[in-house]
Each structure stands twice: as C-alpha cells, then as structure tokens.
Amino acid sequence: MSTASLPDKPALEGLEAKWGPVWEEQGTYRFDRQAALDAGPDSVYAIDTPPPTASGSLHIGHVFSYTHMDLAARFQRMRGKNLFYPMGWDDNGLPTERRVQNYYGVRCDPALPYDPDFTPPFEGGDNAGSNKAADQVPISRRNFIELCERLTVEDEKQFEDLWRTLGLSVDWSQTYRTIGDEAQRVAQRAFLRNLARGEAYRADAPTLWDVTFRTAVAQAELEDKEMPGAFHRVSFHRPDGGTIEIETTRPELIPACVALVAHPDDPRYQPLFGTTVRTPLFGVEVPVVAHHLAQQDKGSGIAMVCTFGDVTDVVWWRELDLPMRPILGKDGRILAEPPQGIEGAAAAVFAELAGKTVFSAKARIVELLRESGDLIGEPRAITHPVKFFEKGDKPLEIVTTRQWYIANGARDEALNARLLERGREVEFHPDFMRVRYENWVGGLSGDWLISRQRFFGVPIPVWYRLDENGEPTGDPIVPSEDMLPVDPASMPAPGFDESQRGQANGFVGEVDIMDTWATSSLTPQIAGKWEDDPELFGLVFPYDLRSQGQDIIRTWLFSTVLRAELEHGTVPWKHAGISGFIVDPDRKKMSKSKGNVVTPAAMLDEHGSDAVRYWAASSRLGTDAAFDPQNPKQMKIGRRLAIKVLNAAKFVYSFEAPAGAAAGTDAVTEPLDIDMLATLGEVVATATRAYEEYDHARALEVTEQFFWTFTDDYLELVKERAYGSQGAAGQASAVAALQLAIDVFVRLLAPVLPFATEEVWSWTHGGEGSVHRAPWPTVAELGVEAQHGGLLPLVSEALIGIRRAKTDAKASQKTPVTRAVIAGPALLEHAAADLAAVGRIAALSFTPADEVAVVEIELGELPEA
C-alpha cells in the first residue's frame, strides 16, 4: 500500500459533509431489486422504519432509537443481506394541525369557501402565530390542508438533513408520506376490505372526547394525569323520607344521573336493590342496582351512575341496560335543553347550568346543593388520576357520537387469541417487552375507534344516501378500489354528481378522517407498495425488523400486528427491537411536556455524529439511558474512540505491507502476533453473535475493550519490530498483523462509527467501494489459531510492570534500562525481544512465577553497540 493516500493529520471534523453525498451518489445504501429477484426473498433484510411525526423537531430520543435500528441495518448489510430500509414521514393528524394553527395563526372552519389567493397572517416561526383560537384567522378546509402540506414538506426536509448527518443508512429513494396518495390508497383499501369483511363498522356509542380539539380519542391515546379534585358527599332521597349518601368528584353531573350502584355483597345496600331514589335538586327517580365493579371501601360504598362521568359509567350503562341522560355537548359545556325527566322547577335549576363549562357548572351546583341542604359537610380535597388525550391539555369528557370502529379483539375472543399468538411468533428484543404487548391485548375494553373529527388526514372513503327528507339512509356507498384515493368531502359519490350533495334523494360525503394510527399501522404495506407493486411486496413482506420505542407498543406495534392479521393472516415482521427511554440526570423521562428535551442538532455539531452514535450504541435495547447535556461523558468517550481509530489506522498503514507470498496471514509468524490475531478472532465471534442476537451494546463493548488493548499495549509492544529492529521476518510479521487487525477493527466498528471508518477504509481500499458494503469480518479470514493462548495479556501486564518500575524510580519512560528481571511464566520468553525493545532494556531475563511482576530493574545508559 502506498502511504501517499494517508492524510497529514486525520480529523473527524467535516467527515459527515464529505461522506454523506458520496454514499448518496454511489447508491451505497440503495435496495437492489434485481439482485433480490435473482437471489430470492431470503437474501433481503427488510426494516419497517418508524415514520417520525413531521410536526416540529426531532429530539434526542429519536436519535437514540433510530441509531439502534441503524446498527442492525448496517450489520446485516455487511453480512451480505440486501437491505430494504425505507424512511417515512407521519405527517397527518392532530400534531400537524396544532403546529399549523400556531405557526400560521389560522384555524379551520369547514363552512368557509376556498380562497385561492389566501395568505396566512404569520409565517416564519413557531412563536409568530397564536395558540389562542380567538386570535386565529378562520380559513376553509382546503386552505388549511394546503398550509399543512406546505409546512410538513419544510419540516421533512429538515428531518432528512438531520438523519443524513447522523449517518442513517436508509435508502432515500424509498421514502413515503402518510398523507401521500400512495399511503392514502393503501389505508383506504385496507379500510374497505375491513368493511367488506365486517371488521369495520359504524355505531352510536359513548366516546372519549377532547373538548379542545373537538374530536374522539381512542383507548390507546389516553394518559392519566394526577389532578386536584374534591369528594362531595351528597344526599339522594328515598321514598320513605330517608336518604342515601354518595360521594362524588363530579357533582355537576347529578342531572345526568341514571342510577345508584353498590356491590352485590354489600350488606348496607342489599335491602335497597330494586328500590328507587330521587336525585337532589332535580327530583328524577333512579333505581338502586348492584354491580361487582362497585367498590365497598370507596367513599360511602355506593356511587351514582351518570351519562357519562368516566369509563366505569359506560360499563355500568351498557351491562345494566340503563337509560341515557346526556347533558354535555361536544364543546364541553352543559347543553341548553335538560334531559328527559327534568321538568318544572327542576328545569329552572338546570337553566342556571346551561351553557356553562363543567368547571363553572360544578361551582354553581355545589352552591345549590349547599343551599338545599343536600351537601353533607364540606368538600374533601383529594388528588386523583384523570384521563387526558395524550396531546391535550383538558380532561376528557364522554359524549355519545356516531363513530367508525375496527374490531381489535376486545369483543372477539377468537381474534384476541390469534393476536396473542402472533405476539408469541414475533421475537421481542429484549424478550421481557413482550409482556407489555400481551397486557395490552388482554386489557382491551373496546374496539378500535378510528374516526377523527379533524381535517388533515386520510378521508374515510364512504358516502351516505339521503332519503326524500334529506336524512341518511341505508348502507354506506363505497368506491371501487381503482378509484382510490378518494375524498368524499370534495368528490361526488359513485352514481351521483356534485349538484346532488346534501339534497333530498342525493348523497352526503363522510367528513371524518382516519386516526393517524389507522394509516401508520400499515407502514409495512405502504413502504412495500402492497397491491400496487406485488413483486416488491413479495420480496419484503413479512419484514425482518420493526424497531421502535417502548411507549408505542400499545399503539403502533399492536395496531400493525392487528392489521397484518386481519389482512394477511400473518405477523408483519419477525423481530421487534424495543428501545428504552432517555432520562435526564434525575432519571426522569425526557419529553416535550416535561420541558427537559434536548434537541440533537447542536449535539451533533458539538460532538460529531460518530460520538453521538457511540452514546446510543452503548445502551442495550429496552434499557433506559441517562443523558446530562452539561456533561455528556459517553459522547466524549465516543469521540475519543473515533479519533483513535483515525490515528491508529494512519500509524499502522504508514508501514509498507509485506509483498508477494509473505503478505497477509502467511507473513504472521511471531507468537505475540499470532496470539493477538487469535484473540481478535474471539472478539469477532463474540461481536457477531451479539449482533445476531440484537445486542449491539455487547458487540461494541467487546470490540472497544480489545481495540484499546491493541492500541495501548500491542501496538506499543511491536512498533519497534515494525520499524525493522528485529530483522525482515519480525518486521513482516508485525506489519502484517497490525494491518490485518486494523482492517478487522474498522469493519467491526463500522456500524457504530460510520464516518471515521469510511474515512480509514478509503485510504487503503479506495477502489473497492464503501466499508459499509465490505464483508463483515470472520474468524476464518484471520487465518490463525492461538499457539500460545493468553500471551498478549501476560505481555501487557509485564509492560505495565516495566512502566511502573520506572515511575517508582522517578525516571522517564524513555530512560534506558541496563538490566531487568521479570518474574513470570516462561511463556513470556516468546515476547522477550518486544518487551526489551519497548522498555529500552539492554538485558532482560525471567524467573519462574505464576504472576507477572517486575522484580528488579537497573537504570543507566545503554552500552554502546
């Protein structure tokens, strides 16, 4: 090898900008379809990549988990697999709408006409607009969607730049958007097939409702927040003049009360089952009933059932066949009209509540209860969990709406059992994450609500016929699959024209869109172009790997398994790699809501991409990683490692490699060199096995540990021989071993440090392509077996002893030694010349001992030659 290709001073700076464009130009990470067709599906390794939400900025958690995925991808590519590694953008749904509202200072009003010349009042920053609805300019649905499209495209460009800087080895020619035509076609096709098989249906039902976003919320999107509240002890009136006292945190729902419920085994209330009581203030007669979910030790042991206070109310309403008496509107305010049974003076009381928020209504009804004497004592302050939409800032309410659902096994035992079985077919990494999936499947309480009362998303592809009175009637009208994608809000139903929209005997289009997870649950089908490109889909499905965070097992992972089971009767992928959370120095999960998120761009600029990747690679799957932006120790260690790779490689490749028959493993003849390569072979075997088991942290750990032994000890021991101090044979052996080892180390570290290793590879293999297309190292290519197993550790220990002896003598490490005696195994004599050379020892002898120690050292000038 010519040394002319070596840089004067290797540096990490600028490597991302240097190699990123080269990889793109050369198609280093491009999926080779023809090669896959020639070799068959088994030659393909397909990854179902998480499409990040394109509504703001990526955070350090993204960098963490996406690096884990990329480590597996790079390893499999070097093992000879043809990687199908796409990238998607999840650009529809509530997060995008909220960002557009705040960014441009607008809000959507579907009643307004389209303005082709509309210019938003604000542009250019998240803080330029307004997050107050009253300050936002109302615009048409179409204008609003156009702004969503504009902003997500800008965000996606920034995301792609960051992913490229990080060195993700995705195939950028395989990119999709969940709002794109291809994704919409897949999502609508799957929905229509669900509908045809009876798996999708529309029903009136109590629905968790976010009053801020005015949309339904699915079970998977809930989170509990601890909120202050109060128990109010309230009297209900028995026919005999007595009372029953209940405790409630929601007295404003008394006009919605339909029953009192107690546990069937509670002796206090058993005599009252089957009787009735009247509600305070409103005098509505309601039954006293029994149900096992009532808690005897909570409050007074008897609770009021309302339409609807919480999800338990819904269960009681359904299982006890109770009437419905709703009082809350979709805006979170008390309805103007009282429910059935509230008449006369009671109606006047209700009128005082009409139009109020639940908070104002609660305050007024407490006053009224106090005045009537039905409030017993004063409210008792508590803190309790309250359900929120995960992206919302107000407690959820439960209102009755007509929504679309997909069966998910909550009410179908056979489907539930199949989904549990599919979960067992997937190999979870780590395996203990599987229980989170199983717990979710086992705890489902209702089918998957997929309709959303929003604007930017995949339209639900149905229309409804109108009768002579203009009322919807009959089954939905559906498009043929060759019409997809369709937007029923702006396209006429098949067999009708636009003039018949909303007219008697005409049609009306569905205005709801699909929940974003209803599209994201089909990422394997979207990326693989299901039905649109059967050849490609046959090569990649089922995929090999789904890589994701643990917090979306219940949403993305479960829903993807569900859709694959319903449509294909199989698992969507063979392996699921689950990353842990990033936590701050106080071990709190980093999240936007907590305000402790670190954005990655500055981190990459400061430390370099290889250092950031090293930090991520140091954590095993499923393990939380602490990160302190003020003291990023792991990144500093990673940067030091990457720099050492550059410098060690330059030093090793500065020697002319042995030529001819003496090149390669044939030139390695010295026991110390053979032992080093044999130990490296063990590292290769261990690292390979670790990557095969999705344990990238173990692979990095064993590689890094031996790399530092190689540079700090072995290289120091043999460099004098490499310079030729022991003759041609000794020099050839040292140089060949050094360069064989560096060549292997560079490939072992390539998944973690793609930029530094590519730089090194280009110095010596410039005409052979990228290191990331090079074969993964094998034990066989080292061509050696340890003849003196354990020699290198002994020599390393002896070297440490020599250095310590010089330090104890207050001498420089460069001080010549006239004579040294080392107590240690006779095996050390195989490396006597290297020890003498590196220790500047004129005469070196050994005495038998089980352990290595320098027992005597005489300092002085070396005798003249």
Side-chain angles (χ1 to χ4, degrees), residues 1-10 18-19 646 649-650 652-656 739 758-767:
M1 183 207 80
S2 170
T3 59
S5 60
L6 298 178
D8 292 336
K9 189 175 182 181
K18 174 180 179 179
W19 288 110
L646 293 173
K650 182 192 174 184
V652 167
Y653 288 134
S654 66
F655 297 107
E656 288 292 339
Q739 294 186 354
E758 186 73 289
E759 175 72 6
V760 169
W761 194 258
S762 70
W763 302 341
T764 55
H765 301 75

Side-chain angles (χ1 to χ4, degrees), residues 156-222:
E156 287 156 14
K157 289 177 182 176
Q158 296 179 23
F159 286 13
E160 180 177 333
D161 288 344
L162 189 141
W163 284 150
R164 287 180 181 273
T165 300
L166 182 64
L168 292 191
S169 62
V170 302
D171 180 354
W172 291 104
S173 69
Q174 304 286 345
T175 304
Y176 64 87
R177 307 175 69 218
T178 58
I179 199 63
D181 284 352
E182 298 84 357
Q184 291 200 39
R185 186 161 47 247
V186 168
Q188 291 185 340
R189 181 190 298 125
F191 172 83
L192 291 175
R193 295 190 182 184
N194 292 141
L195 183 61
R197 292 191 296 260
E199 297 154 357
Y201 63 92
R202 195 171 184 234
D204 287 320
T207 306
L208 287 161
W209 188 265
D210 187 282
V211 299
T212 302
F213 291 109
R214 304 284 181 91
T215 187
V217 175
Q219 182 185 356
E221 298 171 304
L222 305 181

